Amino acid sequence: MRGLAGKRVLISGGSSGIGAATARRFLEEGAQVVLGGLSEAEVDQAVADLAPLGEVSGLAGDVSSAADVTRLVDGAIATMGAIDVLINNAGIAWREPFLEITPDHWDRIVSVNLRGMFLVAQAVARHLVERGSGGVILNMSSTNGLGGEADYAHYNASKGGVLLLSKTMAVELGKHGIRVNSLCPGYIKTPLNSAISSGLADDFVSAYERDHIPLGRAGLAAEVAAGYAFLASDDASFINGAELVIDGGQLAIM
Ligand SMILES: NC(=O)c1ccc[n+]([C@@H]2O[C@H](COP(=O)([O-])OP(=O)(O)OC[C@H]3O[C@@H](n4cnc5c(N)ncnc54)[C@H](O)[C@@H]3O)[C@@H](O)[C@H]2O)c1
């Protein structure tokens, strides 16, 4: 992908699933990576797995904590000298009927997926504006930010919020040469979805793939990483304030 070699990339939620596949993809493209994650053990493991591919290091912390986000962003700048690309990817999800959602559960999902996204994006955007040489911020939304899947009201609301956060950032930051876009993956095979489907019927995933996804299969983390790489590259130089849907055709169904 054009223009990624030598880029300094911070990936929140880079220790597992889509974020880990994205770290791998950027390292393969010749970029330098700092990855974040909630658990120190998971971050260390991801860094050890990826180290043979290039320059990668990690920092653990909770993106819903302003202090942890300051440590993450300042640490990434100290390690790489600057940040050129933010992959704002950390997120959580679980199923819960709307009528049963507790205020605490609502707050946790919204504070990781929306407040966390805002905190990391703002800290990196301030750095990019101060440096004055542009940059790219990619925020992780979801097909659940575009449609109301049952049993995910808190998650859907958080991901819908990410879409408008991103559009507003694109409007305000464009004059600084900073492009801001969102990704909307559909059903992707990751540890997050394995944990969710472990509590469901054995044939849940195969029935879901058959009935909801025109390509008849779940997506792979590497297929979302490819979307991140494209939007961060010079090939996407006029794409700003948009969302890229990567869902095997799921949202095309009437
Ligand atoms: N898997 C899917 O089908 C799918 C679809 C659309 C969007 N997404 C989004 O993609 C992103 C990655 O999901 P995944 O499926 O790879 O999940 P995953 O559970 O495999 O990875 C989640 C990552 O986020 C980090 N994280 C979680 N809570 C955190 C916190 N409080 N502070 C810091 N880091 C935290 C984890 O440490 C991990 O690195 C999420 O934002 C998710 O909502 C996933």
Side-chain angles (χ1 to χ4, degrees):
M1 211 69 73
R2 284 194 312 128
L4 294 183
K7 283 275 165 9
R8 294 155 292 189
V9 183
L10 171 61
I11 305 177
S12 78
S15 57
S16 172
I18 292 167
T22 303
R24 174 173 296 275
R25 176 63 192 257
F26 276 92
L27 289 167
E28 286 168 357
E29 296 281 354
Q32 193 179 339
V33 170
V34 170
L35 60 86
L38 187 57
S39 135
E40 189 148 9
E42 191 178 84
V43 167
D44 290 348
Q45 185 60 53
V47 169
D49 292 345
L50 293 165
L53 296 176
E55 269 186 84
V56 57
S57 62
L59 280 164
D62 186 335
V63 293
S64 70
S65 151
D68 282 13
V69 167
T70 301
R71 274 198 306 112
L72 174 68
V73 175
D74 288 355
I77 294 167
T79 301
M80 299 190 289
I83 296 168
D84 303 302
V85 175
L86 168 64
I87 304 297
N88 206 1
N89 176 76
I92 53 172
W94 62 80
R95 294 172 70 96
E96 204 165 25
F98 170 69
L99 294 176
E100 292 170 21
I101 294 174
T102 63
D104 281 353
H105 284 186
W106 176 274
D107 286 350
R108 183 61 186 157
I109 291 220
V110 173
S111 69
V112 174
N113 291 2
L114 189 52
R115 173 186 159 88
M117 193 91 12
F118 155 70
L119 289 172
V120 180
Q122 187 189 55
V124 172
R126 284 176 172 163
H127 163 70
L128 293 175
V129 168
E130 194 183 311
R131 259 180 68 217
S133 32
V136 177
I137 296 178
L138 301 176
N139 293 325
M140 176 53 95
S141 179
S142 168
T143 45
N144 291 55
L146 294 164
E149 186 174 19
D151 296 336
Y152 286 101
H154 36 23
Y155 182 72
N156 299 339
S158 71
K159 294 300 188 180
V162 169
L163 287 178
L164 274 172
L165 168 66
S166 301
K167 286 186 192 296
T168 314
M169 288 173 60
V171 170
E172 292 193 30
L173 300 175
K175 63 175 175 287
H176 299 286
I178 300 167
R179 295 189 294 107
V180 184
N181 293 292
S182 306
L183 270 77
C184 294
Y187 191 77
I188 311 298
K189 241 182 228 164
T190 66
L192 177 72
N193 270 329
S194 303
I196 290 173
S197 55
S198 68
L200 301 167
D202 285 350
D203 65 346
F204 175 86
V205 173
S206 53
Y208 191 90
E209 290 171 325
R210 184 192 63 224
D211 297 340
H212 294 281
I213 305 172
L215 287 182
R217 64 171 177 88
L220 304 175
E223 293 174 307
V224 181
Y228 272 136
F230 165 63
L231 286 173
S233 78
D234 292 346
D235 290 320
S237 52
F238 201 55
I239 301 180
N240 188 33
E243 56 271 346
L244 178 61
V245 174
I246 304 174
D247 71 345
Q250 184 167 2
L251 284 180
I253 298 175
M254 235 187 90

